[in-house]
Amino acid sequence: CVAQSIMEGYDNGAIMSLYVAAFAFVHENGRRRWISVPWIAVTSAVVGALALQSLVAANISAVSQVKQDPKQQWEWVTQWSFPPDEASRIVIPGLYGYRMDSPDGAQYVGRVGSHPSWDAYFDGKGDAPQQMLRFSGAGPYAGIGVVLLALLAVGLTPRKTAFWSVAAVASLFLAFGRFTWCYELFYNLPYASAIRIPAKFLHPMSLCLCVLAAFGV
């Protein structure tokens, strides 16, 4: 299943595989955890070898060949960060509008896809940059019911839901990308700097919310 995820989702699948490995490590007992995690890694790497080869060639080798300074590389990787103030869209759909098919993107007023140079402008430093301010209004939406059920599960069964609640919160903070210090820690891990668009971590966050809601039911 992990191999299939990598073959179908490439870096999205690779991100999800980290959660599978973490789940196996947390829930296995004693020596089994030191067997399960490497077994998952080896078998998924063998089955998904072709996709992994393409992923390495496209995302890692190509990035390493681009002659960019560290600042430019960081800006390129983290441009599609999810602004923390837009996390409210997880509960309230369309709070910041939708997509950009209207003139001047008037239907979406958020900052997903904004170039990092806009950060200084919104902090009151300098004039408005010429780079892209926003790209799309697409974003996560779980709904009030799902979020309330998830919170109910965490409140009533904190031990059973500990992994999923921690994973959900960690995923959300990683999705914030350059807007928080968390993603910089992840970015400095081996090969992590080749993964673009921190907002991709909203995928595992959504999965965790679904599982927590199931516990709530």
Side-chain angles (χ1 to χ4, degrees):
C1 291
V2 172
Q4 184 69 27
S5 175
I6 294 173
M7 288 189 288
E8 295 290 341
Y10 283 85
D11 50 354
N12 288 296
I15 288 173
M16 297 297 281
S17 70
L18 299 177
Y19 289 76
V20 175
F23 179 83
F25 184 82
V26 169
H27 286 276
E28 290 286 16
N29 296 319
R31 295 181 180 180
R32 290 186 60 183
R33 68 179 52 177
W34 300 106
I35 298 175
S36 298
V37 176
W39 177 252
I40 293 172
V42 171
T43 53
S44 60
V46 171
V47 177
L50 184 60
L52 282 173
Q53 183 180 3
S54 300
L55 179 62
V56 170
N59 282 28
I60 298 176
S61 300
V63 168
S64 64
Q65 293 173 5
V66 177
K67 303 299 182 181
Q68 294 179 317
D69 61 43
K71 181 181 177 181
Q72 289 177 323
Q73 178 67 17
W74 169 258
E75 291 178 348
W76 184 78
V77 168
T78 62
Q79 181 170 349
W80 267 265
S81 298
F82 188 64
D85 58 325
E86 295 189 42
S88 52
R89 291 199 284 146
I90 297 172
V91 181
I92 307 172
L95 186 62
Y96 284 74
Y98 282 110
R99 302 201 69 81
M100 295 188 57
D101 51 0
S102 59
D104 299 322
Q107 290 186 355
Y108 173 60
V109 295
R111 291 179 57 192
V112 171
S114 67
H115 190 273
S117 58
W118 282 95
D119 296 350
Y121 172 76
F122 284 111
D123 288 337
K125 303 175 183 177
D127 300 326
Q130 298 300 314
Q131 287 86 354
M132 184 166 59
L133 171 59
R134 56 178 60 90
F135 178 75
S136 169
Y141 171 60
I144 296 175
V146 170
V147 173
L148 287 178
L149 284 171
L151 293 175
L152 179 67
V154 174
L156 295 180
T157 58
R159 290 187 179 182
K160 289 185 178 180
T161 58
F163 173 83
W164 297 104
S165 55
V166 170
V169 173
S171 301
L172 180 60
F173 273 84
L174 287 173
F176 291 155
R178 72 176 191 272
F179 296 110
T180 65
W181 54 269
C182 301
Y183 196 80
E184 189 169 359
L185 297 177
F186 174 78
Y187 178 83
N188 290 317
L189 295 175
Y191 299 109
S193 59
I195 297 177
R196 197 184 184 197
I197 309 178
K200 290 176 179 177
F201 279 93
L202 293 172
H203 297 317
M205 185 212 70
S206 299
L207 174 63
C208 293
L209 278 179
C210 289
V211 175
L212 287 171
F215 273 106
V217 172

